[in-house]
């Protein structure tokens, strides 16, 4: 730590002698491993970008020169070198620093990133702004090979390549490993050609066996042949000057290459080859396991988790395999989240019906629509926050044609350590306004399985939302039973107050109902809403309360208010849910409590709203 403890900004890095940079990288990697093992977080990707981060801040005048990190989960070294070393112990914790770049956290975080494939577009915008303002600055996009599978990256390349007077550098961090193994024809081409191993070996053999004149001829042929061996041709056709591939862990290659590029004008494309988990053998061997880690002992590595409650993701994975066994028409689709969405066993059992389409959410949805047109039964397993990226396809390609596509929406609601960028707060609001959609919210593990079967059997688009993590330990039945569409249930019978709870908010609403003597309904369906149950509750109670782990604006509570208005029913209505603000990272339970969505918070909000009209609420404090 002799060097790192004196680095408080990139300016300090730039004061070092070149010979000190490699020792600095070693210290940084050690600090990174020690820090993340104590907090949990993204590890493999960060170990792979240590040298690249050091080189970028050494060569470029940051923050005057802008660096945009794609996805952003590989920026821990960047955070450490930009004055946040002493706050790394708060990483991804409530009121701590984010696991992703955040503009309001540091001037060195030039663009907030957490969803993939946005970096080239953002950096191009910055480069173009510098040109318009007459400022001499560089804009650098650091994008991984997994992120290059998304169409947005190529839209940006297509736009940037015709602008030959901008200072834009795109760095392709080629580690041959997105979160799940990278897929598709493009990745196959890149994986085969980008490593440069064949090219380097051929060049070394030429030097050792060819006489001088022949070697000179070989060098000329080499320049022509290079386009066949590495992807220079493809990126140069986009209008970029392609450089590489070079070893992304070799500062003696990185530093002079970046210094030379800094002198060039126009769009530049640098291809660096790195290794996820570099320097930590366990992460090198299992980069997926060490992609996102809990706290662990670096000397021992990550230990298998003790058996406990099933997670909703596991419930989905089991259901998918069981339904696939029962129906040969089922096809499973994921946009590069095989592990995260619980599809590993499905791929093993049904490889011909499993499709990882890469980080391409728009394509995933329309691909499913095409399958549905031919009588297949596609199930798109996708995080709530990532379905947002395919909204036009959801409306135009699926719902408008009333195609039979089932959407399994994992990570609905708050997601804890990943924060606002990954929170699934908006799906109820953005889905329920779409005609033909059926929307369900699971309150426990068994109900989740039933809803998946219900959505699958429904002849049209259906979405089943379920939260991250485990449920309350409800036993999951092995059957593939379905629910009656648009029908809720009474969970607790009370009086005066009726709480209409959706999904994950059923359990804390029951807790609040017991304190208040209130009726609690598990509404189950956001759309179609159980209007019959709503009318019954309105007739039998004086006050109505809706509770949802989603956006209040436009969400399930809004659906209830609209239904009451349509029926001409006037009742005091309190809508509880996530407020009109972005909620940062932290422990999920603490975050829910902070917005009043635990049992105590729900009860307190009801008391505050209705105590003046219902004095017993003041007395009955549970």
């Amino acid at each position: 730590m002799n060097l790192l403890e004196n680095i408080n900004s990139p300016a300090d890095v730039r004061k070092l002698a070149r010979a000190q940079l490699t020792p600095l990288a070693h210290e940084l990697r050690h600090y990174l491993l020690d820090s993340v093992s104590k907090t949990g977080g993204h590890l493999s990707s960060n170990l792979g970008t240590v040298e690249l981060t050091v080189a970028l801040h050494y060569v470029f005048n940051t923050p005057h020169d802008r660096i945009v990190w794609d996805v952003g989960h590989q920026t821990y070294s960047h955070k450490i070198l930009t004055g946040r070393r002493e706050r790394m112990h708060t990483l991804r914790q409530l009121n701590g620093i984010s696991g992703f770049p955040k503009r309001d956290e540091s001037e060195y975080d030039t663009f907030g990133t957490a969803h993939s494939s946005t970096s080239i577009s953002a950096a191009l915008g910055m480069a173009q702004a510098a040109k318009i303002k007459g400022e001499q600055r560089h804009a650098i996009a650091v994008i991984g090979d997994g992120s290059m599978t998304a169409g947005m990256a190529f839209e940006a390349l297509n736009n940037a390549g015709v602008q030959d007077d901008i200072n834009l550098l795109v760095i392709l961090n080629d580690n041959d490993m997105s979160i799940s193994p990278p897929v598709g024809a493009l990745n196959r081409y890149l994986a085969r050609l980008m490593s440069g191993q064949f090219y380097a070996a051929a060049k070394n053999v030429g030097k050792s066996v060819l006489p001088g004149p022949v070697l000179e001829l070989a060098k000329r042929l080499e320049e022509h042949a290079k386009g066949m061996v590495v992807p220079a041709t493809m990126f140069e056709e986009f209008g970029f000057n392609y450089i590489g591939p070079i070893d992304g862990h070799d500062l003696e290659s990185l530093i002079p290459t970046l210094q030379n590029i800094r002198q060039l004008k126009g769009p530049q494309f640098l291809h660096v080859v790195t290794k996820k988990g570099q320097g930590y053998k366990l992460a090198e061997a299992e980069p997926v396991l060490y992609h996102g880690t809990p706290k662990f002992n670096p000397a021992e590595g990550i230990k298998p988790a003790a058996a406990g409650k099933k997670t909703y993701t596991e419930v989905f994975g089991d259901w998918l395999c069981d339904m696939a066994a029962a129906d040969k028409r089922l096809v499973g689709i994921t946009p590069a989240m095989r592990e995260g969405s619980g599809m590993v066993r499905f791929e093993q059992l049904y490889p011909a019906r499993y499709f990882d389409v890469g980080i391409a959410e728009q394509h995933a949805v329309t691909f499913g629509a095409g399958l549905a047109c031919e009588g297949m039964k596609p199930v798109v397993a996708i995080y709530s926050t990532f379905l947002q990226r395919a909204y036009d396809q959801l409306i135009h390609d699926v719902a408008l044609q009333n195609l039979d596509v089932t959407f399994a929406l994992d990570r609905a609601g708050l997601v804890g350590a990943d924060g606002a960028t990954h929170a699934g707060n908006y799906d109820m609001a953005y889905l329920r306004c779409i005609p033909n959609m059926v929307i369900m919210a699971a309150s426990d593990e068994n109900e989740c399985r039933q809803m998946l079967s219900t959505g699958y059997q429904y002849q049209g688009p259906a979405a089943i939302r379920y939260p991250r993590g485990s449920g309350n330990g409800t036993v999951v039945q092995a059957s593939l039973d379905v629910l009656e569409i648009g029908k809720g249930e009474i969970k607790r019978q009370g009086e005066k107050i009726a709480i209409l709870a959706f999904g994950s908010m059923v359990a804390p609403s029951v807790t609040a109902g017991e304190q208040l003597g209130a009726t609690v309904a598990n509404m189950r369906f956001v759309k179609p809403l159980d209007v019959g149950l709503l009318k019954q509750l309105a007739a039998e109670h004086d006050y109505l309360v809706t509770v949802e782990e989603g956006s209040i604006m436009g969400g399930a509570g809004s659906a209830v208010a609209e239904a009451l208005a349509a029926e001409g029913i006037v009742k005091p209505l309190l809508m509880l849910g996530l407020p009109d603000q972005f909620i940062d990272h932290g422990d999920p339970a603490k975050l829910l409590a902070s917005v009043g969505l635990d049992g105590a918070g729900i009860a307190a909000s009801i008391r505050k709203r209705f105590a003046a009209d219902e004095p017993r609420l003041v007395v009955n404090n549970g």
Side-chain angles (χ1 to χ4, degrees), residues 335 360-366 380 382-398 407 430-431 434:
E361 294 88 355
Q362 294 171 311
H363 166 61
V365 172
T366 304
V380 179
I382 190 167
Y383 292 6
S384 169
T385 185
F386 294 148
L387 185 59
Q388 295 164 186
R389 310 188 84 191
Y391 194 55
D392 179 64
Q393 288 71 23
L394 186 65
I395 295 173
H396 186 273
D397 298 339
V398 175
F407 296 91
Y430 73 65
L431 288 175
I434 303 175

Side-chain angles (χ1 to χ4, degrees), residues 290-302:
Y290 287 85
H291 169 73
T293 74
K295 298 176 184 179
F296 69 100
N297 183 340
E300 300 175 354
I302 297 175

Side-chain angles (χ1 to χ4, degrees), residues 335-399:
M337 297 303 293
R338 180 187 64 179
E339 287 79 14
S341 291
M343 299 181 73
V344 173
R345 188 162 70 92
F346 176 78
E347 182 198 15
Q348 295 168 347
L349 294 175
Y350 304 100
R353 290 191 271 160
Y354 166 81
F355 295 93
D356 182 344
V357 302
I359 303 177
E361 294 88 355
Q362 294 171 311
H363 166 61
V365 172
T366 304
F367 174 54
L371 286 162
C373 285
E374 300 301 322
M376 304 303 289
K377 297 274 288 182
V379 176
V380 179
I382 190 167
Y383 292 6
S384 169
T385 185
F386 294 148
L387 185 59
Q388 295 164 186
R389 310 188 84 191
Y391 194 55
D392 179 64
Q393 288 71 23
L394 186 65
I395 295 173
H396 186 273
D397 298 339
V398 175

Side-chain angles (χ1 to χ4, degrees), residues 564-595:
L564 289 171
E567 294 294 329
I569 299 173
V570 179
K571 282 280 179 178
L573 174 64
L574 171 63
M575 291 184 282
L576 301 178
L578 297 177
D580 185 27
Q581 66 187 62
F582 293 111
I583 298 172
D584 269 340
H585 47 274
D587 176 76
K590 291 180 180 178
L591 291 177
L592 286 171
S594 73
V595 293

Side-chain angles (χ1 to χ4, degrees), residues 398-419:
V398 175
L400 183 63
Q401 304 181 91
N402 199 28
L403 291 174
D404 190 3
V405 181
T406 303
F407 296 91
L409 302 189
D410 204 332
R411 272 65 165 178
L414 299 179
V415 293
D418 281 340

